[in-house]
Amino acid sequence: MGCCGSSLFTETHPEKDHHHHHHSRHNHPSSTGESDTGGGASGGGGGGGGGIPPFSEFSLSDLKSATNNFSSDYIVSESGEKAPNLVYKGRLQNRRWIAVKKFTKMAWPDPKQFAEEAWGVGKLRHRRLANLIGYCCDGDERLLVAEYMPNDTLAKHLFHWENQTIEWAMRLRVSLYIAEALDYCSTEGRPLYHDLNAYRVLFDEDGDPRLSCFGLMKNSRDGKSYSTNLAYTPPEYLRNGRVTPESVIFSFGTVLLDLLSGKHIPPSHALDMIRGKNILLLMDSHLEGNFSTEEATMVVELASQCLQYEPRERPNLKKLVSTLAPLQNKPDVPSYVMLGIPKPEEAPPTPQRPLSPMGEACQRMDLTAIHQILVMTHYRDDEGTNELSFQEWTQQMRDMLEARKRGDFAFRDKDFKTAIDCYSQFIDVGTMVSPTVYARRSLCNLLCDQPDAALRDAMQAQCVYADWPTAFYMQAVALAKLEMHKDAADMLNEAAGLEEKRQRGGR
């Protein structure tokens, strides 16, 4: 019940399908088979990232907790022996799902260089990307943290589908969205994408295709940028071992071939078919002819241009976007419909139980009303949560209670930053625990626009007093502030149930 304890970090049924594929501490200036599933909040329009947390450094303990100590049950992608980089699914304390890519120390021996590379990628924010939200560089550990994408990879939907193949309109959408992602990255000064392939294209909770951010960093400082079969590698990379923006266009052409054929066809073989005018032979037979020949011809021609031997003869990213945008023929149909996956869950309706004034204030996220209620309630719910010896009273109690008293005055006077400092002094001594102090500091954090810290305090209040409705109510408000509306509604419902039980005779 609620968010307390280890249940925060894990679920009882972590996915183990290897076809499946991000809390802040400090703010600071593959192979063919490696999928990068990285979920959670969807990005904003343009370069915006609504709902995406700011890029930050994670502690190793946070990521261990999120992935059940990097349990093999949480692995969602592994790249093989030549580049032993694993991707794990995990869940943070604030209930956000993440994807964690684990490198070896040998891949990035210099922690400063790894951190600088990660910060460079972490500045990017776009709705077409599975965005990078953090990293960890602790001892020998080198980890990247990204949004988690729950609906598999393009490779799974094209090559390993079970119920239905991707319809033509969805394939066109994938091609445009990935071109838009690459164009955004290039515009923001990150034009190189390493080893672009169908495993790097992920589907979010709405079924929209996103480009994995992991490909914006190499698998190692000095490692190869392409770990796929040589038949799919840009010819200039084979000549000089360097990735250029034109190399990315070549790889995009191979993804277009995947979308056209439903198979992973070597570019040389596909080009022979195109030259022989065997376009229909190239098309995926599972489409059963349900595509526009005119549209298919234009995509085939674009793929052919991308796969030109000479890099200068390939189109640029703007040309890709301008060619693919007019081909979109089902703009009003949601991606999840075309992908054949369930509709994303919506927040449940308002709890049927009658809400108390505290519940109603939390439901409408009225922080002023919550503040008034907590001031009026004072500390009457703290009875029985502490048993102190006489020695403890005489040694620490006076200073600790004085800190709490100063915090109470500041809280009453709406000086919330001072209240946070004073309540933190009280909590840090550790002699006495008070769920009310945690609840008050939680509200102060909300009013100071720190919902992650607010959620942690509300959870601590629950740990001190397991069935305290106020702890659940404060968690509900913090979750709503974090745009986790379904979890917030569940928590509000749970709080209302505890309050009802309390009124019937509980504490």
Side-chain angles (χ1 to χ4, degrees):
M1 186 162 55
C3 289
C4 194
S6 61
S7 61
L8 279 168
F9 307 116
T10 60
E11 284 204 336
T12 55
H13 52 283
E15 295 174 12
K16 198 174 180 178
D17 180 357
H18 284 211
H19 291 109
H20 276 274
H21 308 298
H22 296 317
H23 198 350
S24 298
R25 287 204 309 137
H26 312 294
N27 285 329
H28 187 291
S30 102
S31 69
T32 308
E34 181 187 354
S35 45
D36 290 327
T37 297
S42 57
I52 308 168
F55 185 82
S56 60
E57 182 181 0
F58 285 78
S59 70
L60 183 59
S61 61
D62 284 339
L63 300 183
K64 280 184 174 181
S65 296
T67 59
N68 196 20
N69 201 23
F70 297 107
S71 165
S72 59
D73 291 336
Y74 283 63
I75 295 174
V76 290
S77 163
E78 49 191 327
S79 60
E81 295 179 5
K82 291 185 179 180
N85 302 312
L86 301 175
V87 179
Y88 296 83
K89 174 184 177 179
R91 201 174 195 186
L92 294 173
Q93 192 173 10
N94 64 10
R95 307 182 72 143
R96 180 185 292 276
W97 288 104
I98 56 172
V100 183
K101 185 169 183 177
K102 199 171 195 283
F103 298 87
T104 63
K105 180 188 177 183
M106 291 176 60
W108 292 91
D110 183 352
K112 183 179 178 182
Q113 189 177 32
F114 178 77
E116 288 175 350
E117 278 289 304
W119 277 99
V121 176
K123 292 175 183 175
L124 303 176
R125 286 290 180 270
H126 200 273
R127 58 182 175 171
R128 304 292 186 236
L129 288 174
N131 295 277
L132 193 67
I133 63 169
Y135 79 104
C136 174
C137 206
D138 187 333
D140 292 346
E141 296 293 345
R142 306 287 185 267
L143 302 145
L144 295 178
V145 184
E147 294 182 285
Y148 176 73
M149 302 287 110
N151 283 309
D152 297 309
T153 66
L154 177 60
K156 170 72 182 294
H157 288 284
L158 275 180
F159 311 142
H160 311 288
W161 54 274
E162 296 169 2
N163 298 319
Q164 68 179 67
T165 190
I166 307 180
E167 66 172 274
W168 177 243
M170 188 63 187
R171 298 185 192 209
L172 291 174
R173 184 173 294 182
V174 170
S175 64
L176 174 62
Y177 282 19
I178 300 312
E180 289 178 338
L182 292 169
D183 185 43
Y184 164 74
C185 294
S186 179
T187 302
E188 294 297 313
R190 305 289 302 199
L192 302 185
Y193 193 93
H194 304 276
D195 211 7
L196 175 62
N197 57 61
Y199 291 89
R200 301 285 199 186
V201 180
L202 317 169
F203 293 92
D204 65 19
E205 59 191 4
D206 297 314
D208 286 330
R210 305 238 216 140
L211 182 64
S212 168
C213 62
F214 291 152
L216 292 161
M217 275 183 71
K218 290 193 293 187
N219 277 333
S220 65
R221 181 191 61 181
D222 303 316
K224 295 178 179 179
S225 292
Y226 289 87
S227 49
T228 54
N229 187 304
L230 293 180
Y232 304 92
T233 303
E236 65 274 13
Y237 181 78
L238 295 176
R239 291 197 301 267
N240 57 34
R242 290 179 56 217
V243 180
T244 66
E246 291 78 17
S247 308
V248 180
I249 302 295
F250 185 94
S251 296
F252 183 79
T254 67
V255 175
L256 288 182
L257 290 182
D258 294 343
L259 290 164
L260 288 162
S261 67
K263 297 182 286 290
H264 204 38
I265 299 177
S268 58
H269 180 50
L271 287 171
D272 288 340
M273 296 173 71
I274 294 169
R275 293 189 194 101
K277 307 294 184 184
N278 295 320
I279 291 177
L280 291 179
L281 199 59
L282 177 66
M283 297 301 293
D284 189 350
S285 60
H286 294 109
L287 288 170
E288 299 178 342
N290 293 315
F291 59 89
S292 161
T293 304
E294 181 182 354
E295 293 169 354
T297 302
M298 293 183 70
V299 177
V300 168
E301 175 61 26
L302 190 62
S304 177
Q305 294 172 21
C306 292
L307 297 169
Q308 291 299 303
Y309 184 83
E310 291 295 336
R312 65 177 178 272
E313 295 179 5
R314 299 170 197 159
N316 60 30
L317 291 165
K318 301 291 185 191
K319 173 70 181 300
L320 298 183
V321 173
S322 64
T323 302
L324 293 165
L327 301 181
Q328 306 303 306
N329 55 29
K330 288 188 177 180
D332 298 328
V333 179
S335 292
Y336 69 85
V337 173
M338 289 198 281
L339 207 58
I341 60 174
K343 183 178 181 180
E345 289 186 23
E346 296 178 354
T350 304
Q352 296 302 307
R353 297 185 179 95
L355 292 175
S356 66
M358 180 67 165
E360 290 176 350
C362 291
Q363 185 181 44
R364 63 180 187 267
M365 296 177 66
D366 186 343
L367 301 185
T368 301
I370 296 171
H371 173 255
Q372 292 174 344
I373 291 169
L374 289 179
V375 169
M376 291 173 61
T377 305
H378 202 56
Y379 285 89
R380 64 171 176 248
D381 287 328
D382 280 19
E383 296 174 15
T385 58
N386 293 277
E387 292 183 10
L388 300 172
S389 68
F390 177 75
Q391 185 178 13
E392 287 171 326
W393 272 95
T394 57
Q395 287 183 346
Q396 295 176 323
M397 211 56 184
R398 184 176 298 171
D399 289 343
M400 190 172 58
L401 290 177
E402 182 61 31
R404 191 181 78 174
K405 185 177 180 181
R406 291 197 307 272
D408 291 339
F409 282 129
F411 185 77
R412 183 195 64 191
D413 296 338
K414 301 183 181 181
D415 182 358
F416 298 115
K417 288 186 178 180
T418 300
I420 289 174
D421 292 339
C422 295
Y423 287 145
S424 297
Q425 292 173 30
F426 173 86
I427 290 168
D428 290 345
V429 172
T431 304
M432 182 177 179
V433 289
S434 165
T436 297
V437 167
Y438 279 116
R440 288 183 167 209
R441 195 173 72 170
S442 176
L443 179 63
C444 292
N445 280 313
L446 284 171
L447 287 158
C448 293
D449 198 26
Q450 299 179 88
D452 275 312
L455 180 59
R456 288 195 298 273
D457 277 342
M459 289 159 51
Q460 285 298 324
Q462 183 196 341
C463 289
V464 175
Y465 185 172
D467 296 328
W468 191 34
T470 299
F472 288 76
Y473 280 133
M474 295 308 300
Q475 288 179 54
V477 181
L479 288 164
K481 282 284 189 182
L482 289 164
E483 299 189 10
M484 303 172 74
H485 298 295
K486 182 180 184 304
D487 288 324
D490 289 343
M491 198 63 67
L492 190 70
N493 194 26
E494 203 162 353
L498 286 171
E499 200 155 41
E500 185 179 309
K501 177 181 176 182
R502 193 182 194 189
Q503 290 169 355
R504 289 200 306 262
R507 175 181 165 186

